[in-house]
Structures are given as C-alpha cells and as structure tokens.
Amino acid sequence: MNFDYILLIIVFSHLRRALQSKILLPQIDKYLSIGFWFSVVLLITGILLGSSKDITAWIAHAMLFTVIYFCLTQKEFISVKSFIYSILPFVAVNFLKDFTELINSSFHQEWNNYFDTAILFSIIWFFAMFFVNRKQRKDMEKERLKAIELEKEFLQSEILKEKLEIQVAERTAEILGQKEELQKTLDELKTTQAQLIQSEKMASLGELTAGIAHEIQNPLNFVNNFSEVSSELLDEMNEEIVKGDFDEVKNIANDIKKNLEKINFHGKRADSIVKGMLQHSRIGNTVKEPTNINKLADEYLRLAYHGLRAKDKSFNADLVTDFDENLPKINVLTQEIGRVLLNLFTNAFYATHQMQKKLGEGYKPIVSVKTELKEKGIEITVKDNGIGIPGTIKDKIMQPFFTTKPSGEGTGLGLSLSYDIVVKGHGGTIAIDSRENDYTVFTVLLPIE
C-alpha cells in the first residue's frame, strides 16, 4: 500500500484543523473537505486493488504535489508552511522510489534498501520538525496571552493617565509658583542691595547682600532649568502613554519626581540664603563641622558646570578631578567653603566659555580641580585654560565690586567674599597664578585645626 494515501489524509486533516482555528480563510473549507474524503476513497481503493503502482498511487502523488505547491505559494497557507516542510522529504523520496520502480524495476530492486533508509530518515525529520513546531506553537500561544495581558494593562492605563495628568498639573502649578516667588525674591534682593550700598553705615551688609544676590541666581537657574525639563518630560510621557509603553511612563514619572525634588531642594536653598541674610551679622556665626573636601569640591564642580549649561546648552567642557583619597575630614563652615568653591568654579567656566567664543570650535575648555594633603593643611587647586587675568589687574580682583565681566554679568563680590571666608573666617590663604589668554590657577589652603 502506498503511504501517500495516508499522508494525504493527514495533510487535509491538518489543514482543516488550521481552518477551524481561523488561521485560513473560510471559503477554502469546502475544497479541503473534498480533498479529505477523496483521499479516503483513494486509500480504500488502494487497499482493495492491493497494489501501490496503479493509477490511484499516481493520483495521490499528484494531489500531494499540488497541495504542497499551493501551501508554499499562497499567502493564505503561510501558517502551515512549517508542516509542509516537515513532510516534503518523505513525499520526495516516496515519489522517487515509485518513479524508479515504474521505469526500471531492476534498478529499483538494487537501490531499494537505500530508498528505505531515506524514507526512515524522512520520517525522523518529520517527527523532529513536529516537536519543533509544537514548541513554536506553545511560544506563540504565550505571546498571544501576553498580548491580551498588555491590552488589559492599556485599559487600566487610561485611569492611571487621568490621575497622572491631575498630579502633573498640580506639581506644575507648584513649580510655577515657586519660580515666581524666587524671581520676586531676587528682584527684592537686588533692590535692597542698591539701597544698602549707598549707605556707609550698612556698607558691610551691602557687600553680603550682593553676594547673596549673586549666589541666589544659581538655585533660580536650576529651578528654571528643571521646570523646562519637566515640561518636556510631560510631553514624552503623553507620547509613551499613547504607545502603551508603561514601563517608560513609570521611568519618566520617576524622572519628573526627581526634578521636583531638585526644584524643592534649590527652592529651600534659596530660602535659606534669604533667611541667612536677615539673620547674618558677620562671618563665623555658625558652627564648623567635619567636612569631606573631596566630596564638597566634586559636588560644586558639577553644580557650577550645569549652572552654566542651563544658560548655554551648547557649552561643553572637560572636567578633570585629581582628589587625594587620604584627605581627612576638616572642620570648616561647609556652606561658606562651598560658596568659595562655587565662585572659583563659576569663574573658571566663565573664562573658558569666553575663550571658546574667541577661538571657536578648535578650542576645548578644560577645568580641573586637585586636592592634596600638605603639612600646613589641605590644598585645593582650581585651574582652567580660559582667557586668564591680565597682570595689571591681578592685585585688584580680590577687592569688593571689582570685576572684569561686562556690566550686568558680575557683581565684583564673588572673589572678595571668597577671600573673607578663607582668610578671615578660616585662617587660610588664596594664591593666584595666571597668564593672559593661557590659564588661571587659584590655590586655596585650609589649615587643619
């Protein structure tokens, strides 16, 4: 009996099952039913005739090749191609065997064992492909269930979207309120500064107020910057919600939360500056505390760099750090020393920024900071490759209100206050080494008490 009869029945049965699972088009069902029952008739006829070489065997071959051809060429049968590939070797070998037997029986008898071996391997191939295909179907089922789960999550996200929009609107209103309050505070401080400077009696307080106004601009810049970034993140969040990528939505929400925490931090920092101005009478009215100079220097280096980038996003510089890991903690006024470092770093980045405008793209700004334990204390060295300081004014830059910056860009109090904090407040020293259009180096020595 020719095995093609049985294989035909298996093929049509498989295709009909595929139809029932709605993989194929419904109108093909009647042709598959006809083919199935015709295959059964061929099988019965082959059994009754008792021969595998009669006309029914070749009809079975023709039907098999026809079905295989349509399954491999028509897009409606794309889902059963893997099954067709699994039976293809068996069909081909069985056809060759019958064909050689038809045209040359002696050659067929001589090679019959080889044909039987090839048929055995084709059967092994069929079962191997069967198990592989079954695994693939299981994987596809998992993907289908996963897609259903994602659809459920999408429906739930609509509710989450509404809640997030309400929270974002509230936080945005809060951010804008803080921004307006900080701007109003800054304007008031500048007005107060102008009044205090004109009064000899309040001259020292005028210097302090100017320094505070100079410093409060930094948290205000950060509030503005993070407000803009948060607004952009909200647009991205809406896009990701539409896409259904809720993992990314959660990540963006976390980023917005971090931005709000930073805005809150800098808002409180500005608030503490204002309160400090009102309560401040002289440097040294706070308690010194053990401070990690390496950590403090690194923090304010990044702070100054991102402060300038908040104003000019096209600016980029190499930040080089060389921290002595053996530095002990030193008792200092942490906030005051942080102000000194911030002033030095801000000036360094300003100098490199101006140099970049002067030389163009061929110039690479570099700002470095180095800490080292010396016999007399801890030495902090801040170096830049910016515009430098002319020798004629090097002795004046520590004087109050003296500045080389254009009008409106500097108060002339940053280095003056830094000098008072280091020398008068901590008993240290500040040294300057500079060459115009080449470099500037500030060396701060803080004694270890």
Side-chain angles (χ1 to χ4, degrees), residues 256-316:
I256 294 175
K257 183 178 179 182
K258 292 178 181 178
N259 285 352
L260 294 175
E261 291 174 352
K262 293 176 182 177
I263 291 172
N264 185 49
F265 170 79
H266 291 291
K268 290 181 178 178
R269 180 167 173 261
D271 181 65
S272 68
I273 293 171
V274 176
K275 291 180 180 178
M277 181 197 70
L278 298 175
Q279 299 175 358
H280 192 77
S281 60
R282 62 184 179 87
I283 295 176
N285 63 337
T286 55
V287 179
K288 294 180 179 180
E289 56 185 5
T291 302
N292 186 328
I293 296 298
N294 288 341
K295 182 178 179 180
L296 190 68
D298 185 72
E299 175 185 351
Y300 279 93
L301 176 66
R302 314 291 172 184
L303 185 65
Y305 177 62
H306 292 295
L308 180 55
R309 278 185 52 81
K311 298 178 182 178
D312 185 0
K313 294 183 179 179
S314 65
F315 175 75
N316 288 287

Side-chain angles (χ1 to χ4, degrees), residues 157-168 241:
S157 72
E158 294 299 321
I159 300 175
L160 177 62
K161 177 183 176 182
E162 295 179 0
K163 293 181 179 179
L164 287 174
E165 287 178 348
I166 295 174
Q167 293 178 359
V168 168
I241 289 176

Side-chain angles (χ1 to χ4, degrees), residues 59-118:
I59 292 174
H61 283 307
M63 289 181 64
L64 272 175
F65 281 114
T66 302
V67 171
I68 290 173
Y69 172 77
F70 276 100
C71 288
L72 293 179
T73 57
Q74 302 300 314
K75 63 180 181 179
E76 291 84 357
F77 296 93
I78 190 171
S79 60
V80 297
K81 280 188 176 181
S82 57
F83 172 75
I84 297 301
Y85 288 138
S86 67
I87 66 171
L88 196 57
F90 178 83
V91 173
V93 172
N94 205 32
F95 173 78
L96 289 175
K97 180 179 179 182
D98 289 348
F99 183 74
T100 54
E101 185 178 7
L102 177 66
I103 63 175
N104 193 335
S105 60
S106 61
F107 178 81
H108 173 267
Q109 292 177 357
E110 181 181 353
W111 287 80
N112 187 51
N113 292 335
Y114 294 101
F115 282 120
D116 290 340
T117 302

Side-chain angles (χ1 to χ4, degrees), residues 30-74:
K30 61 179 181 178
Y31 298 110
L32 296 180
S33 298
I34 294 173
F36 174 78
W37 291 111
F38 190 75
S39 301
V40 173
V41 171
L42 286 178
L43 175 63
I44 296 172
T45 303
I47 294 174
L48 294 176
L49 294 177
S51 174
S52 61
K53 306 181 186 61
D54 56 20
I55 189 68
T56 59
W58 292 105
I59 292 174
H61 283 307
M63 289 181 64
L64 272 175
F65 281 114
T66 302
V67 171
I68 290 173
Y69 172 77
F70 276 100
C71 288
L72 293 179
T73 57
Q74 302 300 314

Side-chain angles (χ1 to χ4, degrees), residues 204-219:
S204 60
L205 183 58
E207 294 180 10
L208 177 61
T209 304
I212 294 172
H214 177 75
E215 184 174 353
I216 203 174
Q217 185 66 52
N218 289 296

